[in-house]
Amino acid sequence: VAGKPLIEHVMDKLVCAGFNDIVINVHHFADMIEDWGQSAIMHSYSDKKLRISFSDERYGLLETGGGIAHAAALLTDNNPEQRFLVHNVDILSNVDLAAFWEHASEADAVLLVSARTTSRYLIFDDDMHLVGWTNISTGEIRSPYESVHKTLASRAKDALDIDKYHLRAFAGIHQIKTGLLQRMASMPCKFSIVDFYINICTQADIRGYVQNDLRLMDVGKTDSLSRAEQFIMLRQP
């Protein structure tokens, strides 16, 4: 994309925000990504004190939650209050990562979210505590709180603000306290991080963070590459 691997655009953003200890999940073309990482340390980021480690998923993808749990040994020094950032590699955005990182509060996890139009939303209360998930196309609601089911079921499917509940789209960027890694140990090897957050939102403090001017693009398919280049060019100074 725009002359560089997509992962390098994400890495540039992380390094500019002050992150210098990077863990990369590898699966498809794993050897190429590992070679790129070693080359990047020697060339693109030679003036930075950068460390890149790899979490190997060559034998099979573990989904968004399983991949984090599998990389646990690379993400923690056993201090449950330590935090790490998770950034999907196929997401381009104008997020201010430094500001997002500073907005940690005391939450166990903070999820970057927005009011963009989609079919699937996370559900938050007025204090931006996570209370559930919904697919407005199918009417499916998943929440450990019965009040959420009752409120959403009684309102129009396309309503973004439902009484004290707010529907926001997840951006694939979040920060997690390492103490949550212990809770992930009881999950299957392969699991969705969204499922995990919904399952534990009654016992852990999972919150949303809104950047009002957020622009975001998912570059998950080859037919989006030309639009991704335009997106990047618009972000150039």
Side-chain angles (χ1 to χ4, degrees):
V1 178
K4 296 194 295 188
L6 182 59
I7 191 173
E8 191 166 338
H9 290 286
V10 175
M11 183 77 81
D12 288 347
K13 196 170 183 66
L14 290 168
V15 172
C16 286
F19 295 94
N20 58 15
D21 191 352
I22 311 294
V23 177
I24 302 172
N25 285 11
V26 293
H27 172 72
H28 195 49
F29 291 120
D31 292 345
M32 290 177 63
I33 295 174
E34 289 177 344
D35 289 345
W36 169 83
Q38 298 305 324
S39 176
I41 289 176
M42 292 186 292
H43 300 102
S44 302
Y45 308 110
S46 58
D47 60 334
K48 308 290 184 182
K49 293 182 178 179
L50 190 66
R51 182 175 74 169
I52 299 178
S53 306
F54 299 95
S55 181
D56 194 344
E57 294 184 32
R58 282 176 173 86
Y59 61 88
L61 286 171
L62 299 173
E63 296 188 22
T64 50
I68 295 169
H70 182 65
L74 301 170
L75 299 171
T76 178
D77 61 1
N78 295 318
N79 174 2
E81 296 301 310
Q82 188 183 39
R83 294 176 290 137
F84 58 92
L85 180 82
V86 180
H87 194 306
N88 287 6
V89 74
D90 54 1
I91 294 294
L92 294 175
S93 77
N94 68 334
V95 63
D96 184 338
L97 284 177
F100 175 61
W101 183 253
E102 289 303 315
H103 185 80
S105 68
E106 296 300 315
D108 295 301
V110 182
L111 288 56
L112 180 68
V113 296
S114 69
R116 64 187 172 87
T117 301
T118 183
S119 60
R120 294 171 294 180
Y121 292 97
L122 295 172
I123 309 167
F124 297 91
D125 65 15
D126 280 344
D127 293 321
M128 291 304 289
H129 289 103
L130 180 68
V131 295
W133 172 94
T134 185
N135 184 328
I136 62 172
S137 296
T138 64
E140 181 184 2
I141 300 167
R142 292 167 49 207
S143 171
Y145 298 96
E146 184 62 29
S147 59
V148 173
H149 289 267
K150 289 180 179 178
T151 304
L152 266 68
S154 66
R155 297 295 298 270
K157 288 195 302 181
D158 60 351
L160 276 182
D161 294 314
I162 303 181
D163 293 342
K164 69 173 184 176
Y165 300 118
H166 308 280
L167 275 60
R168 297 292 181 263
F170 184 33
I173 301 170
H174 41 136
Q175 54 178 292
I176 305 173
K177 276 189 180 177
T178 57
L180 284 188
L181 292 172
Q182 295 180 353
R183 293 176 179 263
M184 292 183 190
S186 62
M187 298 291 288
C189 290
K190 188 175 181 178
F191 66 93
S192 158
I193 192 64
V194 170
D195 289 347
F196 173 74
Y197 285 145
I198 295 168
N199 289 342
I200 68 163
C201 69
T202 57
Q203 302 110 37
D205 187 0
I206 313 297
R207 299 201 187 201
Y209 171 87
V210 177
Q211 178 176 304
N212 291 324
D213 64 342
L214 183 67
R215 298 192 309 277
L216 179 142
M217 182 177 180
D218 184 339
V219 197
K221 297 180 180 178
T222 54
D223 60 7
S224 63
L225 293 181
S226 61
R227 289 186 292 110
E229 294 200 345
Q230 294 173 2
F231 186 95
I232 287 171
M233 295 308 294
L234 288 172
R235 288 170 45 211
Q236 301 301 318

